[in-house]
Amino acid sequence: MPGVRIVRLIGALLLALALPLGASAATSAAPEVLPLPVCIAPALPGSTAAEALRGRLPYDCASPQHRHGPGDYWALSAPVPAALGNGEVRVRVLSLWQRALTLHALYADGHVETIPTTSATLSRHVQLGAIIEFALPARPAPVTRLLWHVEGASNVRGILLGQRIANPPAAERANLAMAAIYSGFAGLAIALLVYNLAIWGALRHRFQLAYCVMVGAMLAYTFSSSGALAWAWPGIDNNVRLRINYLLLGIIAAAALAFARSFFEPRVFTPRLSALTRAAIVLLLTVAVLFWPLSYLATPLADAIYSWSFLTGLAMVGPILWSAWRQKSDYLWMFAVAWAAPIVFSMARVLAALHVIPTNFWLDNSTVLSLGIEALLSSIAIAYRVWMLSRERDEALAGETLARRLADTDPLTGLLNRRAFLSQAIGREGEQQLHVIDIDHFKRVNETLGHDGGDEVLRVYARVLRTLVPTGALVARIGGEEFAIVAAADMPIDAERILAKLRSARMPFDLTVTSSIGSCLGPLTDEVDWKRLYHCADRALFDAKSAGRDRARRGRSLAA
């Protein structure tokens, strides 16, 4: 069944997208990469790195970091295992809102290596996955302890998160794994963008344009949030890069709602639901734009407003799906499958931002996986939608063609009726020939064969006439037993041959039926010409009947 095949295809695609993520997770859990718990202490005026390394500050190792609020802090790691502290060491942490971040590494011989950075220089240390990486030089003695001095921490998610230590091969493998994920998504997004832009250029459906805007924003967001933007522009302020992420994510959410608004049938969106959806789109875009200046003044407040606006956008999904279900939308199941992963992961990220659930590296990077799934399945949904629209269009065209044919056709004989015949005949250029054909003594035919037999005689006449007229000629039933043929004057139409064919046609009960034909030549540019030409042919038909019937007569050619 088609539905089963589509479900299997979607399952295979989801598995293919999940494999790189699984490989990356396995890499990051390898023995040569080790998370390091930290304890947090406020950086009081006058406190030094030496005091902090000796543990003489009031460290808190149990409370969630976000409860400390914004400010300056010391973050002291647990002792570094000797196996990982030897040789060159890579120290990795997540990218967060902060004015400056300084790493102090204590070696067993008492040497302290210090690497200072600010938000303006931090981008030079950004790796794929938006991970901040510091390379500690190898010394004869191993690294035993790590200390971070975090200045101007907004503490939106935490003060220091995702801290771990790794050797160079493990760090490089993590970069390669993340590169596989991001490049795979980028290739998918570019292909879908080009493909759907091409289709939009041909079909001009609004939902295709909304989808292209959404995928384009996804591609830009991935370029920025992955850290690739920092590689392309090492001098960019890391906090500016984060602001770009927020702006693009808001555009994605707004475009997603616009896509849903145009993807479903119009009946799904009641006036109230349409107004709420438009309001949610405006809210998402407004908050995304205002986040940029507001984050300079109060980043935690700006982030809270942003998270609640995002939650409002997600809340619109329920009413949309409910209305689609009530209206029995043909696209509900495809939309629900395509948007399940982004909705779940987005809700999880919003809950983490509101500190309802804990955050982690994979939750922060779940956006790429969920966007990849959404982009791919939404494209399948678009293909399904276009197919449904094409089928509806074909059915409408077929119905319109049939209706037009029924309106223009005599129901008994299948020939043109009088109205359609005149509509197509009047206005023809050049001299035309008109043949008016009348069945002789048709009243006797009806009396002999009955009305059903008479109808069959008319159908036989129609079939014979249809085979005798050349291409481009018009043949119609214009009265009860009266037929007409219009063709260009130079077309070969032999009235005597028509009479012979009609005479020899096999009629019901082998009845022989004869006809009379009146012909005339003249112009047919307007209705006046038609009346003159028909009057001329009708007089010729009268002459044929007066001369004994079963014969043809031609009237005088009318002057143009």
Side-chain angles (χ1 to χ4, degrees), residues 286-500:
T286 302
V287 172
V289 172
L290 292 180
F291 177 86
W292 194 294
L294 187 59
S295 63
Y296 283 100
L297 303 174
T299 304
L301 176 62
D303 184 82
I305 295 174
Y306 187 92
S307 298
W308 282 108
S309 70
F310 220 86
L311 197 60
T312 302
L314 288 173
M316 288 302 306
V317 176
I320 291 174
L321 295 180
W322 172 253
S323 180
W325 180 77
R326 290 190 61 187
Q327 295 295 331
K328 295 181 173 56
S329 169
D330 294 326
Y331 315 116
L332 173 60
W333 69 274
M334 181 64 79
F335 183 86
V337 170
W339 285 72
I343 290 171
V344 170
F345 284 119
S346 297
M347 182 65 71
R349 287 200 64 179
V350 171
L351 294 177
L354 297 174
H355 308 295
V356 178
I357 61 175
T359 187
N360 58 65
F361 170 79
W362 291 111
L363 182 58
D364 283 346
N365 284 273
S366 65
T367 304
V368 176
L369 177 63
S370 62
L371 292 183
I373 295 173
E374 188 277 331
L376 183 60
L377 297 186
S378 290
S379 188
I380 296 176
I382 284 178
Y384 178 73
R385 179 83 161 92
V386 170
W387 176 74
M388 289 289 290
L389 287 172
S390 299
R391 192 177 70 171
E392 293 171 3
R393 180 200 61 195
D394 292 343
E395 290 175 353
L397 288 175
E400 182 182 353
T401 301
L402 179 60
R404 189 182 300 113
R405 183 175 178 182
L406 290 174
D408 293 346
T409 303
D410 173 60
L412 178 63
T413 63
L415 300 177
L416 291 175
N417 57 28
R418 183 183 182 88
R419 182 194 60 79
F421 174 74
L422 293 179
S423 175
Q424 298 182 37
I426 296 175
R428 291 167 69 102
E429 297 181 357
E431 193 174 40
Q432 303 293 316
Q433 53 179 309
L434 172 64
H435 303 273
V436 179
I437 307 168
D438 191 81
I439 300 176
D440 295 334
H441 303 298
F442 188 69
K443 183 178 180 182
R444 294 181 189 174
V445 173
N446 277 333
E447 291 173 351
T448 303
L449 302 179
H451 287 288
D452 290 341
D455 290 346
E456 182 61 26
V457 169
L458 293 174
R459 281 191 284 267
V460 172
Y461 258 70
R463 286 197 296 269
V464 173
L465 290 176
R466 199 180 287 115
T467 62
L468 294 175
V469 297
T471 303
L474 301 177
V475 56
R477 180 188 177 197
I478 59 174
E481 68 271 18
E482 189 176 30
F483 298 82
I485 299 173
V486 163
D490 56 356
M491 282 189 175
I493 297 180
D494 186 352
E496 295 296 337
R497 181 169 175 266
I498 293 175
L499 289 176

Side-chain angles (χ1 to χ4, degrees), residues 193-252:
L193 187 62
V194 172
Y195 171 72
N196 284 281
L197 274 175
I199 295 181
W200 175 77
L203 302 179
R204 299 286 175 169
H205 294 306
R206 284 193 306 164
F207 62 83
Q208 293 173 307
L209 186 58
Y211 176 81
C212 290
V213 172
M214 183 179 67
V215 173
M218 287 179 184
L219 190 60
Y221 172 79
T222 304
F223 182 69
S224 175
S225 66
S226 66
L229 176 61
W231 285 17
W233 186 6
I236 187 174
D237 189 297
N238 192 58
N239 289 341
V240 171
R241 186 185 64 82
L242 293 176
R243 291 184 178 94
I244 293 174
N245 292 347
Y246 277 70
L247 176 62
L248 291 173
L249 202 56
I251 294 175
I252 292 172

Side-chain angles (χ1 to χ4, degrees), residues 86-88 107 109 111 113 137-142:
N86 288 317
E88 186 181 349
Y107 289 79
D109 59 2
H111 174 78
E113 185 75 24
R139 291 180 57 83

Side-chain angles (χ1 to χ4, degrees), residues 428 430-432 521-526 529-530 532-533 558-560:
R428 291 167 69 102
E431 193 174 40
Q432 303 293 316
L521 295 175
L524 249 179
T525 55
D526 53 30
D529 286 342
W530 159 254
R532 295 175 64 225
L533 190 62
L558 300 178

